[in-house]
Amino acid sequence: AERGDAGVVAVDDPLERGARVQVTVNRRVDVLENERSQQRISNAAYLAGRFIQALFERSRGARGGSAGPWCEGAAVDAWSHEAKLIRAINDARELERCLAAMRQLLGAMDVAIVSDLLGDGYTYEQAAARRGRVGARARGYVATRFRDALEAVSKHIADWK
Protein backbone atom coordinates (compact mmCIF):
# COMPACT_ATOMS: atom_id res chain seq x y z
CA ALA A 1 0.00 0.00 0.00
CA GLU A 2 1.12 3.50 -0.62
CA ARG A 3 1.84 5.64 2.42
CA GLY A 4 -1.48 7.52 2.17
CA ASP A 5 -3.43 4.27 1.90
CA ALA A 6 -2.25 2.85 5.24
CA GLY A 7 -3.73 3.62 8.64
CA VAL A 8 -3.67 2.24 12.17
CA VAL A 9 -6.93 0.94 13.66
CA ALA A 10 -7.95 -0.99 16.76
CA VAL A 11 -9.50 -4.40 16.10
CA ASP A 12 -10.57 -7.38 18.19
CA ASP A 13 -7.61 -9.50 19.28
CA PRO A 14 -8.10 -12.95 17.71
CA LEU A 15 -6.13 -14.59 20.52
CA GLU A 16 -7.85 -13.01 23.52
CA ARG A 17 -11.62 -12.56 23.66
CA GLY A 18 -12.60 -9.00 24.55
CA ALA A 19 -9.11 -7.57 24.01
CA ARG A 20 -8.17 -5.08 21.28
CA VAL A 21 -4.95 -4.68 19.31
CA GLN A 22 -3.77 -1.99 16.93
CA VAL A 23 -3.05 -3.05 13.37
CA THR A 24 -2.09 -1.32 10.15
CA VAL A 25 -4.73 -1.61 7.44
CA ASN A 26 -4.90 -0.73 3.79
CA ARG A 27 -7.77 1.77 3.55
CA ARG A 28 -8.45 0.63 0.02
CA VAL A 29 -9.29 -2.84 1.37
CA ASP A 30 -10.97 -1.93 4.69
CA VAL A 31 -14.27 -0.33 3.68
CA LEU A 32 -14.99 1.12 7.13
CA GLU A 33 -11.56 2.68 7.49
CA ASN A 34 -11.73 4.08 3.98
CA GLU A 35 -15.17 5.60 4.55
CA ARG A 36 -14.12 7.16 7.84
CA SER A 37 -10.81 8.48 6.51
CA GLN A 38 -12.68 10.16 3.64
CA GLN A 39 -15.19 11.57 6.17
CA ARG A 40 -18.08 9.86 4.40
CA ILE A 41 -19.38 8.33 7.64
CA SER A 42 -19.45 9.60 11.20
CA ASN A 43 -17.35 8.09 13.97
CA ALA A 44 -20.57 6.63 15.43
CA ALA A 45 -21.35 4.92 12.11
CA TYR A 46 -17.77 3.63 11.94
CA LEU A 47 -18.06 2.12 15.43
CA ALA A 48 -21.45 0.60 14.59
CA GLY A 49 -19.88 -0.94 11.49
CA ARG A 50 -16.99 -2.36 13.52
CA PHE A 51 -19.48 -3.88 15.98
CA ILE A 52 -21.44 -5.50 13.14
CA GLN A 53 -18.25 -6.71 11.48
CA ALA A 54 -17.07 -8.28 14.74
CA LEU A 55 -20.41 -10.09 15.08
CA PHE A 56 -20.01 -11.57 11.61
CA GLU A 57 -16.44 -12.63 12.35
CA ARG A 58 -17.28 -14.19 15.71
CA SER A 59 -20.35 -16.01 14.41
CA ARG A 60 -18.28 -17.50 11.60
CA GLY A 61 -15.50 -18.58 13.93
CA ALA A 62 -12.82 -16.10 12.79
CA ARG A 63 -10.56 -16.45 15.78
CA GLY A 64 -7.05 -16.93 14.43
CA GLY A 65 -4.51 -19.13 16.11
CA SER A 66 -3.59 -22.69 15.21
CA ALA A 67 -5.60 -25.11 13.13
CA GLY A 68 -7.07 -26.61 16.29
CA PRO A 69 -6.33 -29.26 18.89
CA TRP A 70 -5.81 -31.96 16.24
CA CYS A 71 -2.71 -30.44 14.64
CA GLU A 72 0.89 -31.35 15.43
CA GLY A 73 -0.12 -34.14 17.83
CA ALA A 74 -1.67 -31.83 20.43
CA ALA A 75 -3.95 -33.47 22.98
CA VAL A 76 -7.66 -32.86 22.55
CA ASP A 77 -9.15 -30.80 25.35
CA ALA A 78 -12.82 -31.80 25.14
CA TRP A 79 -14.00 -29.14 27.57
CA SER A 80 -12.20 -26.37 25.72
CA HIS A 81 -13.59 -27.60 22.41
CA GLU A 82 -17.12 -27.75 23.81
CA ALA A 83 -16.78 -24.24 25.26
CA LYS A 84 -15.68 -22.96 21.85
CA LEU A 85 -18.70 -24.59 20.21
CA ILE A 86 -21.07 -23.05 22.77
CA ARG A 87 -19.43 -19.65 22.27
CA ALA A 88 -19.82 -19.96 18.48
CA ILE A 89 -23.51 -20.84 18.87
CA ASN A 90 -24.06 -17.89 21.20
CA ASP A 91 -22.22 -15.58 18.79
CA ALA A 92 -24.39 -16.79 15.91
CA ARG A 93 -27.53 -16.18 17.99
CA GLU A 94 -26.33 -12.67 18.86
CA LEU A 95 -25.69 -11.98 15.17
CA GLU A 96 -29.18 -13.20 14.21
CA ARG A 97 -30.76 -11.06 16.93
CA CYS A 98 -28.92 -7.97 15.69
CA LEU A 99 -29.68 -8.76 12.04
CA ALA A 100 -33.39 -9.08 12.89
CA ALA A 101 -33.30 -5.67 14.59
CA MET A 102 -31.45 -4.24 11.58
CA ARG A 103 -34.00 -5.72 9.14
CA GLN A 104 -36.79 -4.08 11.11
CA LEU A 105 -34.96 -0.73 11.06
CA LEU A 106 -33.46 -0.79 7.55
CA GLY A 107 -35.25 -3.40 5.49
CA ALA A 108 -33.88 -6.56 3.90
CA MET A 109 -32.09 -4.81 1.00
CA ASP A 110 -29.88 -2.61 3.17
CA VAL A 111 -29.13 -5.45 5.59
CA ALA A 112 -28.04 -7.57 2.62
CA ILE A 113 -25.71 -4.77 1.48
CA VAL A 114 -24.22 -4.43 4.97
CA SER A 115 -23.82 -8.21 5.13
CA ASP A 116 -22.09 -8.32 1.73
CA LEU A 117 -19.62 -5.59 2.69
CA LEU A 118 -18.93 -6.31 6.37
CA GLY A 119 -19.72 -10.02 6.57
CA ASP A 120 -18.38 -11.27 3.26
CA GLY A 121 -15.82 -8.57 2.46
CA TYR A 122 -17.25 -7.61 -0.92
CA THR A 123 -16.39 -4.31 -2.55
CA TYR A 124 -19.07 -1.84 -3.60
CA GLU A 125 -18.63 -3.03 -7.17
CA GLN A 126 -19.08 -6.69 -6.19
CA ALA A 127 -22.13 -5.91 -4.05
CA ALA A 128 -23.69 -3.98 -6.95
CA ALA A 129 -22.97 -6.86 -9.35
CA ARG A 130 -24.75 -9.26 -6.97
CA ARG A 131 -27.83 -7.10 -7.55
CA GLY A 132 -27.40 -7.19 -11.30
CA ARG A 133 -26.02 -3.66 -11.56
CA VAL A 134 -22.67 -2.51 -12.92
CA GLY A 135 -20.77 0.74 -13.37
CA ALA A 136 -20.01 3.84 -11.36
CA ARG A 137 -23.65 4.71 -10.76
CA ALA A 138 -24.41 1.25 -9.36
CA ARG A 139 -21.29 1.38 -7.17
CA GLY A 140 -22.33 4.81 -5.87
CA TYR A 141 -25.85 3.56 -5.16
CA VAL A 142 -24.55 0.67 -3.02
CA ALA A 143 -22.07 2.97 -1.25
CA THR A 144 -24.81 5.47 -0.39
CA ARG A 145 -27.14 2.75 0.89
CA PHE A 146 -24.30 1.33 3.01
CA ARG A 147 -23.37 4.70 4.51
CA ASP A 148 -26.99 5.58 5.25
CA ALA A 149 -27.53 2.16 6.83
CA LEU A 150 -24.53 2.58 9.16
CA GLU A 151 -25.69 6.05 10.19
CA ALA A 152 -29.17 4.70 10.99
CA VAL A 153 -27.80 1.72 12.90
CA SER A 154 -25.47 3.96 14.91
CA LYS A 155 -28.50 5.72 16.39
CA HIS A 156 -30.08 2.44 17.60
CA ILE A 157 -27.24 0.01 18.22
CA ALA A 158 -27.01 0.73 21.95
CA ASP A 159 -30.44 -0.90 22.31
CA TRP A 160 -29.17 -4.11 20.65
CA LYS A 161 -25.98 -4.65 22.67
Side-chain angles (χ1 to χ4, degrees):
E2 294 178 25
R3 179 172 286 206
D5 293 337
V8 177
V9 297
V11 298
D12 290 333
D13 185 338
L15 303 176
E16 184 179 341
R17 189 175 177 96
R20 308 276 290 166
V21 294
Q22 290 197 342
V23 297
T24 302
V25 297
N26 181 341
R27 290 187 187 114
R28 290 186 183 195
V29 175
D30 185 331
V31 67
L32 291 170
E33 190 59 34
N34 185 51
E35 290 298 311
R36 185 174 71 164
S37 72
Q38 298 297 316
Q39 299 179 344
R40 294 182 188 131
I41 60 173
S42 67
N43 194 51
Y46 172 83
L47 294 174
R50 283 286 179 229
F51 174 78
I52 294 164
Q53 191 173 47
L55 284 177
F56 279 116
E57 289 171 358
R58 287 190 351 238
S59 73
R60 293 176 180 167
R63 297 233 193 305
S66 70
W70 301 277
C71 65
E72 299 177 14
V76 176
D77 180 351
W79 289 107
S80 175
H81 181 67
E82 186 173 322
K84 287 179 184 178
L85 289 174
I86 291 169
R87 188 177 311 128
I89 290 168
N90 287 337
D91 289 344
R93 286 181 182 152
E94 183 180 0
L95 173 64
E96 280 308 310
R97 185 179 54 78
C98 286
L99 287 176
M102 285 174 56
R103 275 190 289 277
Q104 188 173 9
L105 175 67
L106 305 171
M109 173 69 136
D110 287 345
V111 171
I113 288 171
V114 169
S115 177
D116 282 353
L117 296 165
L118 298 182
D120 297 320
Y122 292 143
T123 64
Y124 290 140
E125 189 170 0
Q126 291 167 327
R130 285 178 44 89
R131 286 150 186 82
R133 303 174 89 176
V134 294
R137 187 172 176 193
R139 193 171 49 249
Y141 171 81
V142 168
T144 298
R145 299 283 298 251
F146 175 69
R147 293 174 193 134
D148 290 348
L150 289 181
E151 295 297 343
V153 167
S154 73
K155 292 171 178 53
H156 298 276
I157 202 163
D159 300 334
W160 305 341
K161 290 185 179 181

